[in-house]
Amino acid sequence: MTTLIKLGGSLITDKSQAKSFRSDIVRQVARQIARIRNSDAQQRIVLGHGSGSFGHFEARKHGTADGVRTDQERLGFAQVGAVAAELSILVLKELIAAGLPAMRFQPSSTIISRNGQIIAFDLRALALALDRRIVPLIHGDIALDETTNGTIVSTESIFSHLAGPLQVRRIILLGEVAGVFDSRGGLIPCITPSSFHEAHAALAGSGGVDVTGGMRQKVETMVHIVREHPALEVTIADGRREGVLLDLLVNRREIGTRICGDPSFGTRR
């Protein structure tokens, strides 16, 4: 079984300050992953992270998500990729310091998109790394686009392309919120494809939207993945919570908001 874990950009950086890295958060998550792997040799984990105050600042400045057409936009495109890689290297160092055999896989070198949608993704090296007990590290990144020349691809969109080929059964999205909230501020414990329209109204007005779409886009993407892979389960939870990954993956506690297949598919556990 493969588990995909994302550290949100708002979790590992301060999105109000350019290039502000929260090494303490990454360090405590890395230690949890090391304990999980030591307790379960069959656990296959791919770790991803958002760009936070690194990539999003640059991407917004250059309008990279909307395409790359001028020489100035091409330079901006390159700058966005550079700062996204800069953050990823900081994350990688924390993983290695925690004793994890992690390896960076830069999405921009293996992804091609069309109109902002991924159409090609070479996963051979990443899959081999998993087979060899390496922890692949990916991140939201720039991508060459057949139509707009260049764009931004989110970690969630990358996860959607990993779900089938890697036989993913669990996706965990860690951010600075306890889950998805309804219009009255109450935590929504579970979202299914059939109940998504109820949550969508609350998400429509959510603030703090970044260049890859914010919480609404995250939930929409996860619901789409669950529709395509009904046995897969997604959890959105607060990454600042002490031992959150241990509780989810070892202690099997239900935390945050679950996104899973409708009960008729027989996928609820």
Side-chain angles (χ1 to χ4, degrees), residues 39-114:
S39 66
D40 183 0
Q42 303 304 313
Q43 187 70 252
R44 291 156 54 98
I45 291 175
V46 177
L47 187 63
H49 65 82
S51 286
S53 64
F54 284 69
H56 287 297
F57 268 64
E58 288 293 325
R60 187 176 295 112
K61 184 194 307 181
H62 301 291
T64 305
D66 298 323
V68 178
R69 299 171 182 83
T70 68
D71 285 344
Q72 189 61 37
E73 288 174 345
R74 276 184 276 275
L75 180 59
F77 178 73
Q79 289 170 335
V80 173
V83 294
E86 185 179 339
L87 175 58
S88 190
I89 289 170
L90 292 174
V91 173
L92 179 67
K93 289 179 178 179
E94 293 295 340
L95 300 179
I96 292 173
L100 288 169
M103 178 179 177
R104 285 187 66 240
F105 286 85
Q106 189 163 321
S108 56
S109 65
T110 56
I111 285 176
I112 296 173
S113 66
R114 181 183 298 137

Side-chain angles (χ1 to χ4, degrees), residues 177 179-180 203 206-210 213-220 236:
V177 293
V180 181
L203 290 167
S206 62
V209 175
D210 56 32
M215 180 61 84
R216 180 170 65 177
Q217 185 64 43
K218 289 175 175 60
V219 175
E220 288 178 348
I236 299 176

